[in-house]
Amino acid sequence: MRRFAVAVIAAAAAIVLLAFSGALFGHSPWSLLSIVASGSVGSRFALASTLLKSVPLLLTGLSVAIAFRAGVWNIGGEGQFIVGGLAALVASRFGIVASLAAAMLAGAAWASIASAMRLWRNAPEVLTTILLNFTAIHLLGWSVNGPLREHAGQYPQTDLAHVALPEIGGVHFGIVIALAASVFAWWLLYRTAAGLRLRATGLNPNAARWAGIRVGAQLARAMAISGAAAGLAGGIELLGVTHRLFERFAAGYGYSGIAVALLAQLHPLATIASSLFFGALVTGAGELQRAAGISAGVATFGQAVVILTLIVFEHVRADR
Amino acid sequence: MYELIANSIPIAIVASIPLLLAVEGELLVQRGGIINLGIEGMMLTAAMTAAFAAQTTGSVTIGFLGGIAGAMVITAIFGVFAIALRADQIVTGTAINLLALGGTSFVYREVAAFQRPIPQLHTDIVSALSWIVAPLILGAILWNTSFGLRLRACGENPEALAATGRSVRMHRWAALMIEALLVGIGGAYLSLALSSGFAENMTAGRGFIALSIVIFGRWKIKGALLGTAIFGLAAALQYALQAANRGIPFHILLAVPYVVTLLILCGVAGRVRSPESLGRP
């Protein structure tokens, strides 16, 4: 209950600081808040777009939660999301299932580059995953300008994917997959021996080693599962929302996953609620950009405020 | 090809100045036991405040001072969380980067001053500072002063320093502020000398590359200079190849710096020993 209260306070702090920063630059804080509220939950259409944004955030949030629980610093969700989208597009001719499977495999493989570098060369994954993000962004840029460019050749974007996820009331089927993934992640982490080993490694790798757990294998496994979740997010975003790739396809979903997971205190089921909050924030910020000309970057700012507020309360708790 | 390399050297020296200053600052704080992943956000903020100060006053000097001030403010936020509250440094650094990324893109649209002309920098003083003066001074501080010895103790065995009655926190704060000074100059150089003003996310991962070069250089000044020189030359060659238009796709060339950094990390990281208490709050 206390942890829930802390999460609510952190979320509220983000909203308040957002309105305050707007006021600093001469906007009325109340009108900003009302734009965010009506743009994210104020109508059926707004609610549907909030849900649509929450789906990739839920999956990248799960990706981060699994990795951080295992003590692996996967900051590479953005790159894994992109290669997931690329693989899903290429495999889309073989159907939805094959396309999403390819997205997960690609995400896992991309993340595993970082774990291989860590295990063989001791290169810190916190840096290699970030560097792989930049590499993936330019790989995507090359793809949509080169080999995967649309046949019309007019814009730097790909042709439409061969398949699309079915829709129910304005929201694509990916929401069901994402919800199932969070239940699966909870079951994996808290109800299986494999999950216990992952968490034990995250809590104390030395103790885990003494208990006979192969820490290197746990690291590789956590990274692969984490990458698969972020890759799946990219695949679902492609088949459910964008239907094609372009340079700004990832739109920060990978990095946002860090804030989503931390607000949920790395719990897979709490990640559902957390992704809904950030989905609303991102949607509301988009509306701010359209209606008031304010940069949608305020959503990123809000994510940072959430993380920093959580740290303050962690500290208060640790001191007692 | 030989000519291409020879022509790239002057470009490499100038274009890698922000990176080099970041490497030097990060080396100092990591010697003191802190991983500052937020260096990317520090540099981005400095690039913005420098451009703002220069564009509103028309003075390059005030621009650089503005960059230093911006870097110090964001570093102070990092320090409050990572040192005073003993928060996880990676999480704090990530939050600082998001804060700077979101904050700068918000402010950039709100402030009209960014549309004004930017004053030109007509001096090589920053190249000399970053390639010669700063390394000499940092080397002297780290290896020839008692402050440097105590700072390195903060990185290896902070309990031992605390046992002598000295404050680990004060030493780390001092190192962070020196880093902010260097990164502030680097960020200012990026927006005032290497580009004409601020652009969203213009640091493009330089902070993370800097962290990688610190590891490559094994936390030593000479290694840091060598690593930056290798990286800077690779990046300059990439520019030259872009300009020469030899049929290599533009986006593949853009990925080169990051792939080079990954290879750099893999090439040496296996054999290095980091400061013992690096990253421990």
Side-chain angles (χ1 to χ4, degrees), chain A residues 8 12 18 24 31 80 83-84 93 141 148 153 155 157 167 182 257 262 282 304 316:
Chain A
V8 170
L18 209 151
L24 270 185
S31 78
Q80 293 142 23
V83 295
R93 71 184 66 217
L148 293 179
Y155 300 106
Q157 60 183 21
E167 284 195 15
S182 58
L262 290 174
V282 170
V316 171

Side-chain angles (χ1 to χ4, degrees), chain B residues 9-22 24 42-54 59-71 118-131 180-199 202-203 206 228 239:
Chain B
I9 290 174
I11 302 171
I13 290 174
V14 172
S16 49
I17 284 174
L19 177 69
L20 179 61
L21 289 165
E24 289 162 355
M42 284 167 65
M43 195 191 281
L44 188 61
T45 308
M48 162 164 272
T49 54
F52 175 76
S59 151
V60 179
T61 315
I62 294 178
F64 272 86
L65 291 175
I68 294 167
I118 195 130
Q120 286 296 311
L121 179 74
H122 296 289
T123 161
D124 287 334
I125 192 166
V126 185
S127 333
L129 172 79
S130 50
W131 282 99
L181 174 71
L182 294 169
V183 174
I185 298 172
Y189 195 80
L190 182 64
S191 63
L192 299 181
L194 295 180
S195 358
S196 48
F198 180 79
M202 73 185 304
T203 43
R206 275 183 183 79
T228 311
Y239 294 136

Side-chain angles (χ1 to χ4, degrees), chain A residues 25 27 73 117 121 124 127 130-131 134-135 138 141-142 145 247 289 294-295 297-298 300-301 304 307-308 311-312 315, chain B residues 81 85 87-88 91 95 98-99 102 105-106 109-110 205 208 211-212 215 249 251-252 254-255 258 261 266-267 269-270:
Chain A
F25 288 91
H27 301 276
W73 293 112
M117 286 177 168
R121 308 301 306 168
L127 289 178
I130 294 174
L131 292 166
F134 287 99
T135 312
H138 294 305
W142 171 67
N145 282 287
E247 286 192 28
Q289 181 152 336
I294 291 175
S295 164
V298 291
T300 313
F301 180 79
I307 299 175
L308 293 176
I311 292 175
V312 171
H315 175 70
Chain B
F81 284 89
L85 297 180
D88 185 280
V91 171
L98 292 173
L99 193 71
S105 77
F106 167 66
R109 288 196 182 210
E110 297 295 320
F208 307 122
L211 262 79
S212 310
I215 298 174
H251 288 90
I252 296 293
L254 286 182
Y258 308 104
T261 311
C266 289

Side-chain angles (χ1 to χ4, degrees), chain B residues 150-256:
Chain B
R150 293 197 298 262
L151 182 67
R152 285 184 286 126
C154 293
E156 301 290 342
N157 190 341
E159 292 80 11
L161 186 80
T164 68
R166 311 255 182 198
S167 164
V168 174
R169 290 181 176 195
M170 287 322 292
H171 285 83
R172 288 181 167 173
W173 269 112
L176 265 186
M177 283 304 148
I178 298 174
E179 179 182 38
L181 174 71
L182 294 169
V183 174
I185 298 172
Y189 195 80
L190 182 64
S191 63
L192 299 181
L194 295 180
S195 358
S196 48
F198 180 79
E200 284 183 37
N201 201 11
M202 73 185 304
T203 43
R206 275 183 183 79
F208 307 122
I209 294 172
L211 262 79
S212 310
I213 291 178
V214 170
I215 298 174
F216 168 83
R218 303 178 185 200
W219 290 270
K220 295 201 172 67
I221 305 273
K222 278 179 203 152
L225 289 172
L226 180 70
T228 311
I230 295 173
F231 177 87
L233 199 58
L237 266 176
Q238 178 250 125
Y239 294 136
L241 282 171
Q242 271 182 35
N245 196 8
R246 298 208 174 176
I248 307 169
F250 171 64
H251 288 90
I252 296 293
L253 287 172
L254 286 182
V256 164

Side-chain angles (χ1 to χ4, degrees), chain A residues 62-63 65-67 69-70 104 179-200 218 220-229 266-269:
Chain A
L62 289 173
S63 161
I66 293 166
R69 276 272 173 219
M104 291 174 73
L179 288 172
S182 58
V183 175
F184 174 77
W186 169 79
W187 173 81
L188 177 78
L189 278 177
Y190 292 96
R191 288 291 181 273
T192 66
L196 181 65
R197 283 194 289 271
L198 285 181
R199 287 185 293 127
Q218 301 308 316
R221 193 170 297 162
M223 193 64 112
I225 299 172
S226 172
L266 306 185
H267 194 287
L269 296 179

Side-chain angles (χ1 to χ4, degrees), chain A residues 142-167:
Chain A
W142 171 67
S143 304
V144 300
N145 282 287
L148 293 179
R149 187 165 182 161
E150 62 174 353
H151 281 101
Q154 199 170 4
Y155 300 106
Q157 60 183 21
T158 63
D159 284 319
L160 291 172
H162 293 271
V163 286
L165 287 168
E167 284 195 15

